[in-house]
Structures are given as structure tokens and as C-alpha cells.
């Protein structure tokens, strides 16, 4: 099992540009989560999906952030336009729903917005 | 609301010292409890878990016991190694949404 796969691992972009982060969850997992990690705020849950359907996006900071899951094996997190305060490490995680099980995290995407 | 409180770090120890990282939680029901570890430049990975009261989770010499009466899940290790240097996150999961603590950084010196 390859685990959760994220790409790119590092992204450097300029303010105002569009950024797209990608995630492939573990096969058979029906929950997918997007997190953001910063020194100031720690680990924040942005949005999660169940069976490809967005369930709770209350953690998405602004309308500039959007996430999609077109199928069970792929999800994207898009920031448009990006701002320097979006600089962080973004993690994708997946899990089974029942029994309540641990999450499996990807290696993260380190985003730097100049 | 639901929350997890961890001791603030960094925790700095010498190799072979005893480790305790405290964790308490506030939840309405009977959650599953987890410790995750994050090594530098990596994602979080599960270290151990416990799913009901008095269960003890253990892995790689680390242990934690689910204490329902004190709503705690303290992480312990009898003899830490330099390779244990990482950030440790306490978490619980009562519904499908997990709740994480802020993380505790552990630094182990030779």
C-alpha cells in the first residue's frame, strides 16, 4: 500500500497566483480530510469529504479556498488568488469511517507564497 | 466544546531519560484516543491508540492508558532515544471528525 500521496511536495509561488494541491487517498478509505499546519495555529481542519461529498467546510478560511473530490481516488485543494499568509504545510489524510479508525496522513505540501 | 489539552513544549531530555507527555480531553461521549508522532518534514503517523476505558496502547516502547475517570491519556516511555525527537499529538475521535491537541515537541540530546 503506497499510503496517502500528495503532490507537489513543495510549492513556491507569488502572491495572486492560483495554487492547486493534489491528494490520492488510500484505496477503500471513504473519508478524506484536508488540514493546514502553521506554527501559530497548529493543525487546522479545513474540510472533509465522505464518499466524495463535502460534509463540512467550515474550516476553510475564505472564499479563496476551494476543494473538490471528483472521485474516490483524487482530491484537490485550490487557492485562488494566493496570499503570503497562506504559506503553510497542507496535509491530506484519509480513513475508514467505521469502526472509528485512525487517520493516515500524507507527507504534506509545503506552500510558500512570496 | 470538545477539546484536547497537551502540555506545552518543548520537552528536552537526555538520552535514556523517562518521558511523560500529559494529555487530557473534553468530550461528551466515549471517544477513541490516539497519539500521533510527526518527524521533521513528514506527516503525522499513528503511534498508538486505545478505544475504551482502561485500554493500554503501546508501540515502540511508548505507552498510554485510557483513563476515563480523569479523561486523560498520558504518553510515557521509560528510556528515550535521540531518534524519538519529534512532535507528538494527542487526539480523540468520537464521531468521524478527530480533535487534535496543539502538539508537544520532544528534543532528546545524546
Amino acid at each position: 500500500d503506497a499510503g496517502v500521496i500528495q503532490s507537489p511536495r513543495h510549492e513556491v509561488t507569488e502572491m495572486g497566483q492560483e495554487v492547486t494541491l493534489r491528494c490520492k487517498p488510500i484505496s477503500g478509505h471513504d473519508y478524506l480530510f484536508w488540514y493546514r499546519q502553521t506554527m501559530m495555529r497548529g493543525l487546522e481542519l479545513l474540510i472533509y469529504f465522505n464518499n466524495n461529498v463535502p460534509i463540512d467546510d467550515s474550516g476553510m478560511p475564505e472564499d479563496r479556498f476551494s476543494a473538490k473530490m471528483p472521485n474516490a481516488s483524487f482530491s484537490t485543494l485550490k487557492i485562488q488568488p494566493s496570499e503570503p499568509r497562506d504559506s503553510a504545510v497542507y496535509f491530506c489524510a484519509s480513513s475508514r469511517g467505521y469502526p472509528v479508525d485512525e487517520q493516515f496522513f500524507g507527507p504534506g505540501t509545503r506552500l510558500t507564497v512570496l | 466544546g470538545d477539546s484536547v489539552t497537551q502540555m506545552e513544549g518543548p520537552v528536552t531530555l537526555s538520552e535514556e531519560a523517562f518521558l511523560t507527555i500529559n494529555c487530557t480531553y473534553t468530550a461528551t461521549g466515549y471517544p477513541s484516543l490516539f497519539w500521533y508522532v510527526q518527524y521533521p518534514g513528514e506527516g503525522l503517523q499513528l503511534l498508538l491508540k486505545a478505544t475504551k476505558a482502561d485500554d493500554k496502547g503501546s508501540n515502540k516502547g511508548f505507552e498510554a492508558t485510557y483513563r476515563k475517570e480523569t479523561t486523560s491519556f498520558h504518553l510515557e516511555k521509560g528510556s528515550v532515544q535521540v531518534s524519538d525527537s519529534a512532535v507528538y499529538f494527542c487526539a480523540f475521535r468520537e464521531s468521524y471528525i478527530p480533535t487534535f491537541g496543539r502538539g508537544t515537541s520532544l528534543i532528546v540530546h545524546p
Side-chain angles (χ1 to χ4, degrees):
Chain A
D1 193 340
V4 176
I5 299 172
Q6 289 187 249
S7 65
R9 291 294 310 274
H10 302 274
E11 177 81 33
V12 181
T13 190
E14 293 189 348
M15 184 173 63
Q17 296 300 304
E18 177 179 295
V19 174
T20 299
L21 312 181
R22 297 173 176 78
C23 174
K24 177 178 168 55
I26 292 173
S27 178
H29 284 188
D30 49 5
Y31 280 81
L32 184 139
F33 305 80
W34 281 100
Y35 290 89
R36 177 172 69 177
Q37 186 179 40
T38 60
M39 290 293 291
M40 290 294 293
R41 294 173 173 266
L43 195 66
E44 301 175 275
L45 176 64
L46 301 177
I47 185 172
Y48 79 97
F49 294 81
N50 175 218
N51 292 324
N52 315 337
V53 177
I55 303 300
D56 186 350
D57 65 354
S58 59
M60 298 284 260
E62 303 173 32
D63 291 345
R64 299 184 295 107
F65 286 69
S66 63
K68 295 182 180 179
M69 192 165 185
N71 58 61
S73 59
F74 184 66
S75 177
T76 60
L77 178 67
K78 185 177 294 185
I79 308 173
Q80 165 64 17
S82 58
E83 296 183 3
R85 60 192 166 123
D86 301 331
S87 298
V89 181
Y90 291 81
F91 289 104
C92 175
S94 70
S95 74
R96 295 177 298 173
Y98 186 83
V100 176
D101 211 349
E102 71 263 28
Q103 294 176 299
F104 293 79
F105 282 77
T109 296
R110 181 173 293 278
L111 173 65
T112 303
V113 183
L114 304 174
Chain B
D2 294 349
S3 65
V4 175
T5 302
Q6 287 183 238
M7 60 190 293
E8 288 192 22
V11 174
T12 303
L13 297 173
S14 297
E15 203 163 27
E16 299 183 2
F18 183 85
L19 168 72
T20 299
I21 300 178
N22 291 337
C23 171
T24 57
Y25 66 91
T26 303
T28 54
Y30 303 96
S32 294
L33 304 178
F34 307 88
W35 276 101
Y36 287 82
V37 59
Q38 184 180 29
Y39 298 104
E42 298 183 11
L44 282 69
Q45 55 186 273
L46 181 70
L47 179 60
L48 55 84
K49 69 177 181 181
T51 57
K52 60 182 187 297
D54 300 324
D55 269 1
K56 177 184 284 188
S58 61
N59 186 25
K60 300 180 181 180
F62 290 89
E63 293 183 340
T65 301
Y66 191 140
R67 300 290 188 198
K68 179 168 168 289
E69 64 277 11
T70 55
T71 61
S72 65
F73 193 52
H74 305 320
L75 183 68
E76 296 182 335
K77 186 174 185 181
S79 177
V80 294
Q81 305 300 311
V82 172
S83 57
D84 293 327
S85 298
V87 180
Y88 293 82
F89 291 86
C90 184
F92 75 80
R93 199 169 178 193
E94 189 171 20
S95 65
Y96 299 117
I97 308 305
T99 300
F100 285 85
R102 288 295 304 260
T104 302
S105 175
L106 170 65
I107 301 169
V108 181
H109 294 293

